[in-house]
Amino acid sequence: MSDRPPRDPDALRRYIAELLASGLETETEPMPRTEREFAEILDQLRALDPEDVRGRLVIAGFLDHPYGPEQQRCQECIYYLVHRRWCDIPEISLPCEPDWWCRLWRI
């Protein structure tokens, strides 16, 4: 896998899928319970280099499967753009699959 992520959304989605499938350890906890905690995670994401896809996945807590007892997944998140298969949180702004999840998940 190259250190430089691809620019094409489909290729980038495959790159991310490979990272997650290879066992990339991400920060799924703690889940942000308040707006302040949510904003602190966004601040961490803003501090990253825009090309640092791996860092965004780690800090946002991405998983390539549903999470928790409710089996939360991107598809039900308010930030998920269904037709683009994209996370629309500006600090993340990455393609993702409907069955993936991150700790910034919201309904």
Side-chain angles (χ1 to χ4, degrees), residues 50-65:
E51 296 288 318
D52 189 355
V53 170
R54 183 184 303 259
R56 284 188 274 169
L57 296 173
V58 169
I59 291 170
F62 266 80
L63 296 174
D64 60 358
H65 54 82

Side-chain angles (χ1 to χ4, degrees), residues 8-20:
D8 171 71
D10 290 328
L12 182 54
R13 189 176 295 106
R14 287 189 300 273
Y15 171 82
I16 292 168
E18 289 174 14
L19 284 172
L20 296 173

